[in-house]
Amino acid sequence: MKLLEGKNVIITGASRGIGTGIAQVFADNGANVAFTYSSSEAPALELEKELSSKGVKAKAYKSNAGSFSESQELVAKVLEDFGGIDVLINNAGITKDNLLMRMSEEDFDKVIEINLKSVFNMTKAVQRTMLKQRKGSIINMSSVVGVKGNAGQANYAASKAGMIGFTKSIALELGSRNIRCNAVAPGFIETEMTAKLEDKVVQGWRDGIPLKRGGAPEDIANACLFFASDLSGYVTGQVLNVDGGMLT
Ligand code: NAP
């Protein structure tokens, strides 16, 4: 029996990087996967095909996680197409790095909207379904940067720290209905998001990691697999650092 056999999962932002890794690992474990993208239509449709070939139901949806109304519409469509939602993974995220001196109000607001408000939008949209089922698992993709801060990323760090407060609050609010809410805090994971950094910066990150390598999307997907499955049935309100020991 596969760990997520027959479970219906929504993942935001799975057209690339960590989200794609989660979608692949979840499909391998028997989950039906509904996932979103904002602009990368071609890779999203490619992923839809790849997941479907594994014998699970899979569908890509274009939806802006930062929009309250689009999140409501998305969840309604997924319910129509899949018949239920057992797991929500709030993974969509962006960076707009700059020192505070140069950070514009627009870049601060955008990062909070896409990274943090999206979590409110999507969690609120799935809440009714999970309450009715008296079961659900919500997983929020935070970051080590949300735990320890990072110069040049005040907007991003604030959004990721906010996700941790949100996670713990929802765990307290919905625990009595058997809905769990946990966060994963990835360290340095090698995706397009980190490919934007200079080589010198990337090497600096790798050198500072006790396991001496950047993580892969699968490393994060495996942590999500634990939180999504019944293996973590008695775990809620937690933040799991998946960072090669970076915060140790
Ligand atoms: P990525 O490669 O840049 O991929 C981001 C994904 O989010 C893409 O699928 C993108 O879709 C989607 N997205 C962006 N804006 C969106 C929106 N408004 N609505 C819906 N989807 C949207 O990033 P990643 O490295 O995989 O990161 C995934 C998550 O992990 C993020 O929350 C990030 O903050 C977090 N994280 C990453 C690292 C790391 O080292 N990589 C470390 C800690 C935490 P399009 O392709 O259509 O743009």
Side-chain angles (χ1 to χ4, degrees):
M1 173 82 171
K2 293 178 173 172
L3 274 177
L4 300 179
E5 191 76 58
K7 299 238 191 231
N8 297 316
V9 177
I10 300 192
I11 308 168
T12 62
S15 46
R16 292 186 274 127
I18 291 173
T20 293
I22 299 170
Q24 289 165 331
V25 167
F26 275 36
D28 287 339
N29 281 276
N32 299 314
V33 183
F35 66 94
T36 69
Y37 62 96
S38 68
S39 59
S40 307
E41 184 167 59
L45 294 179
E46 200 52 46
L47 180 66
E48 181 183 292
K49 238 193 271 166
E50 180 196 326
L51 301 178
S52 303
S53 75
K54 294 176 193 268
V56 297
K57 190 174 167 67
K59 195 159 175 167
Y61 300 83
K62 181 173 166 63
S63 179
N64 174 12
S67 157
F68 186 80
S69 60
E70 283 188 38
S71 301
Q72 297 276 330
E73 286 160 21
L74 166 74
V75 167
K77 272 190 233 151
V78 171
L79 284 172
E80 227 175 270
D81 295 342
F82 286 70
I85 297 167
D86 302 295
V87 178
L88 163 67
I89 304 190
N90 287 308
N91 170 74
I94 58 166
T95 51
K96 287 195 180 288
D97 300 350
N98 229 326
L99 295 173
L100 184 60
M101 186 80 82
R102 295 198 205 106
M103 188 177 288
S104 65
E105 182 186 6
E106 196 186 24
D107 283 356
F108 186 84
D109 287 348
K110 196 73 195 163
V111 167
I112 297 294
E113 178 190 310
I114 306 300
N115 295 4
L116 180 58
K117 180 155 180 284
S118 61
V119 179
F120 165 77
N121 294 340
M122 287 299 297
T123 306
K124 205 163 157 69
V126 302
Q127 180 185 16
R128 190 188 296 269
T129 303
M130 289 188 175
L131 283 173
K132 269 203 236 151
Q133 292 167 181
R134 290 200 160 257
K135 195 168 181 171
S137 173
I138 300 164
I139 302 163
N140 294 325
M141 201 57 65
S142 180
S143 167
V144 291
V145 167
V147 179
K148 75 180 267 294
N150 195 26
Q153 288 197 306
N155 50 0
Y156 183 77
S159 72
K160 295 296 176 182
M163 286 173 85
I164 293 174
F166 187 92
T167 299
K168 293 185 184 221
S169 303
I170 296 306
L172 294 173
E173 229 177 279
L174 301 183
S176 64
R177 309 294 184 89
N178 197 28
I179 299 168
R180 301 181 294 107
C181 186
N182 293 286
V184 174
F188 182 73
I189 309 303
E190 305 213 17
T191 66
E192 278 179 44
M193 184 177 271
T194 48
K196 286 188 255 171
L197 301 169
E198 284 169 37
D199 286 353
K200 210 173 68 186
V201 174
V202 170
Q203 202 46 52
W205 277 102
R206 290 195 193 114
D207 291 346
I209 297 169
L211 290 181
K212 297 293 170 209
R213 66 169 177 92
E218 300 72 45
D219 292 314
I220 304 305
N222 288 332
C224 293
L225 182 60
F226 171 68
F227 281 135
S229 75
D230 292 339
L231 288 179
S232 62
Y234 200 51
V235 182
T236 194
Q238 301 306 301
V239 182
L240 179 60
N241 298 332
V242 183
D243 63 356
M246 195 189 268
L247 285 196
T248 306

